Amino acid sequence: MFFDPNDKQSLTAKVYAHIRDDIIEGRYQNGDYLVETKLAEELDVSRTPIREALKQLELEDLVVSIPNRGVMVQGMTSHDIDDIFTIRHLIEGQAAYWAAERIDEGSLARLTEVIELMEMYTRKNDPTNLARLDTEFHNVIFSACDSRVLRHILAQLHQNTRQVRRTSLTTPERPGRSLSEHRRIFEAIEQHKPDEAKTAMEAHVVNAHSRRAGE
Amino acid sequence: MFFDPNDKQSLTAKVYAHIRDDIIEGRYQNGDYLVETKLAEELDVSRTPIREALKQLELEDLVVSIPNRGVMVQGMTSHDIDDIFTIRHLIEGQAAYWAAERIDEGSLARLTEVIELMEMYTRKNDPTNLARLDTEFHNVIFSACDSRVLRHILAQLHQNTRQVRRTSLTTPERPGRSLSEHRRIFEAIEQHKPDEAKTAMEAHVVNAHSRRAGE
DNA sequence: TTCTGAAAGATTGTATACATGTTCTTCTTG
DNA sequence: CAAGAAGAACATGTATACAATCTTTCAGAA
């Protein structure tokens, strides 16, 4: 048995998340073929949820369908990663700007909690949890923007660089810097200062990128 | 018979395009439920292609799935449209920048052709074909960027504002202005001047937005 | 009249059967 | 030995059957 039957999610959703992770985390070679029948056997489900999951991945450009061959994996190249950081640099500042204007009490409370947890895990030197919190920190901000479109784009870009961001956090000095960058963004949002939030976020994205590029 | 059986596209693809258009063009009320069984009957196909299409729309945030009820339509609100123009303003200049650096002969030839056709249809005052060419003009540029990620995001944003852009082109003076804006972008790209292309594109997006907002 | 509860209905979730088209292999023939 | 054709294997595309879950309706009792 591959998937937990107690988990209420549909099989399609589980299969989607599973294959997506495998692609993003690089467990497939670029150009590998994913064949419905084989995946169905491996994951011990029928072809139906596999098909639906693959259709979604295709829409996301993570695979391309080759008729009668299967779908071909199109993972993230380092060129794609660079592009993502460029695009994030251009729009994530706007997200922080809107968040500073529009955030509500609930999201602010959650953001405070996330920052506190980040401080703790930075002291404990726990990259896994830090990566998780990093994702959540940014997702809370995206949601606070009150912009369905922006949230959707940025959440997807973040997903697709998950692996890069995690490995970046395993280097010795990054967690500390990352924390102070996050705190600066947080404080600007908390004090409802859109311009400062924007500036801080842009700096954060640039730093994350240059770090990834080897700095 | 609803769909052309000679068309080689899969039923899923046709159903997807059909429902997507219905949502974007506003043929459903926001909050309407789409029920697999009913759609299957209406479009005279089985539930399978319907399901796959709906799963894709869900990923695009155009519908949300309500368990045991159907999927609920989440069309574009005017707030969404405003956001899209804001985001386009932030990143479409970058697309033009990259296109000016990287465009190849083939794409440039196609772009030239599109501009010439635009001139013709502007003289003929044909908003339908102008809207089609507008989409193609931008798509050629997106593809010329050599950035899978950017192309993907922008193509989607363009799709989602198709209706707005078309109605905008039916106003008397817009086609002429639009043409001169496009020509300015084209010339900058043709002469491989990235900064000028970027500036011209940003101005174009702002103009398109202010026009839509009532100017 | 109103509340309760059970049954019927509606809807999605999953599996499977069948159709169609492509690719690969093998066997025949020159 | 090589080339081509036929058929087997394989892949996706589509339809349908069945299961599970939730909603609605309607009957009956308080």
Side-chain angles (χ1 to χ4, degrees), chain B residues 148-164:
Chain B
R148 184 165 60 118
V149 181
L150 192 60
R151 187 191 54 67
H152 184 244
I153 293 173
L154 283 171
Q156 191 163 306
L157 294 182
H158 255 244
Q159 273 296 321
N160 292 352
T161 52
R162 215 176 44 207
Q163 197 222 354
V164 170

Side-chain angles (χ1 to χ4, degrees), chain B residues 18 21-29 32:
Chain B
H18 181 82
D21 279 3
D22 277 356
I23 295 176
I24 290 173
E25 304 284 343
R27 283 190 281 273
Y28 290 115
Q29 290 294 315
D32 277 1

Side-chain angles (χ1 to χ4, degrees), chain A residues 152-187:
Chain A
H152 184 245
I153 293 173
L154 284 172
Q156 191 163 305
L157 294 182
H158 256 244
Q159 274 294 321
N160 292 353
T161 53
R162 216 177 41 208
Q163 197 221 353
V164 170
R165 287 180 295 116
R166 191 181 49 246
T167 59
S168 150
L169 284 168
T170 62
T171 64
E173 72 281 14
R174 184 63 191 157
R177 289 213 203 166
S178 178
L179 176 60
S180 68
E181 287 166 19
H182 282 133
R183 200 178 304 152
R184 190 172 151 223
I185 297 164
F186 167 70
E187 283 164 6

Side-chain angles (χ1 to χ4, degrees), chain B residues 81-114:
Chain B
I81 304 282
D82 285 343
D83 285 353
I84 288 177
F85 276 106
T86 301
I87 297 167
R88 281 183 56 196
H89 177 59
L90 293 171
I91 59 180
E92 203 156 335
Q94 181 68 44
Y97 187 98
W98 277 336
E101 286 184 329
R102 304 172 182 174
I103 196 164
D104 60 32
E105 286 308 311
S107 299
L108 202 51
R110 182 62 196 145
L111 215 51
T112 311
E113 204 176 328
V114 170

Side-chain angles (χ1 to χ4, degrees), chain A residues 16 51-52 55-56 59-61 74-75 79-80 83 91 94 98 146-149 151-152 157, chain B residues 16 51-52 55-56 59-61 74-76 79-80 83 91 98 146-149 151-152 157:
Chain A
Y16 169 74
R51 279 184 66 77
E52 291 175 357
K55 272 275 166 0
Q56 292 185 300
L59 195 76
E60 271 194 277
D61 259 10
Q74 300 257 288
H79 180 205
D80 291 328
D83 285 354
I91 59 179
Q94 182 68 44
W98 277 337
D146 193 28
S147 166
R148 185 164 61 120
V149 182
R151 186 190 56 67
H152 184 245
L157 294 182
Chain B
Y16 168 75
R51 280 185 64 78
E52 291 175 356
K55 272 275 167 353
Q56 292 185 300
L59 194 77
E60 271 195 275
D61 257 12
Q74 301 257 287
M76 289 289 122
H79 180 206
D80 291 329
D83 285 353
I91 59 180
W98 277 336
D146 192 30
S147 166
R148 184 165 60 118
V149 181
R151 187 191 54 67
H152 184 244
L157 294 182

Side-chain angles (χ1 to χ4, degrees), chain A residues 99-118:
Chain A
E101 285 184 331
R102 303 172 183 174
I103 196 165
D104 60 32
E105 286 308 313
S107 299
L108 202 51
R110 181 63 196 145
L111 215 51
T112 311
E113 203 176 328
V114 170
I115 281 280
E116 283 165 1
L117 286 169
M118 277 176 162

